Amino acid sequence: VINGGHIYTILSEKRSAEAMPKQALDLWKAVFGEHSLSAVEFDRLLQTGTWTTFRKGTVLQEEGRPSNSLFLIAKGGADVYHKGELLHSLHEHQFIGDMGLSSGIIIDGPVLGVAHVETNMQTTCLVWRRQQLSELMENNPTIA
């Protein structure tokens, strides 16, 4: 019975991953495919996050202010300012608020933004709450 339940879970997750929308599939291939994150693991990330479209001029992160979210730009772009000076422009497939994640540091609470990040056009992002992402990574070490 336990093995049957496990097999059912595996097959259900596989079916869900195979049914990903084109936008999600393109994002997975462009951002995570090279890093050995399987479609099933990416689907878990999708289930944890929220697709959100922001208008031009929306502030995604404020310098020196707590931020509870991590953003992955799927379409569009954003400008990064530090002390009022434009430092960099972000585009599709880039992260906002990911400091520490690439080195394996998981912070489940808010962190202070190191820059002001504002969309420079209508922008669609996959958005995760830090707490939810932290729990997902803790329960799925292959995603971390």
Side-chain angles (χ1 to χ4, degrees):
V1 176
I2 293 173
N3 285 342
H6 188 65
I7 291 169
Y8 175 79
T9 300
I10 290 170
L11 292 175
S12 293
E13 288 179 338
K14 185 174 186 268
R15 261 188 249 113
S16 178
E18 290 170 348
M20 273 192 274
K22 183 178 180 341
Q23 181 181 27
L25 189 60
D26 291 346
L27 192 63
W28 168 61
K29 288 178 180 177
V31 179
F32 298 101
E34 295 178 12
H35 303 291
S36 301
L37 190 65
S38 73
V40 170
E41 292 164 333
F42 181 65
D43 192 51
R44 288 182 189 143
L45 277 173
L46 283 176
Q47 301 302 322
T48 304
T50 305
W51 290 102
T52 307
T53 299
F54 301 97
R55 291 182 186 162
K56 178 181 178 179
T58 300
V59 176
L60 302 179
Q61 179 178 291
E62 291 187 62
E63 187 173 346
R65 303 284 303 216
S67 174
N68 281 314
S69 298
L70 172 71
F71 305 83
L72 174 54
I73 300 174
K75 184 177 181 183
D79 291 327
V80 179
Y81 298 88
H82 181 66
K83 297 184 180 177
E85 182 181 335
L86 177 64
L87 296 180
H88 187 67
S89 290
L90 301 172
H91 53 274
E92 293 177 1
H93 310 148
Q94 291 188 297
F95 287 92
I96 300 164
D98 62 322
M99 289 190 61
L101 284 176
S102 59
S103 57
I105 300 170
I106 300 172
I107 303 169
D108 59 7
V111 296
L112 295 181
V114 296
H116 175 91
V117 182
E118 185 175 312
T119 57
N120 55 22
M121 64 182 75
Q122 182 171 303
T123 300
T124 300
C125 297
L126 187 53
V127 183
W128 295 276
R129 294 309 223 175
R130 285 188 175 278
Q131 176 67 36
Q132 293 171 314
L133 189 58
S134 175
E135 289 170 7
L136 177 69
M137 292 170 79
E138 192 174 297
N139 295 327
N140 298 275
T142 56
I143 293 176

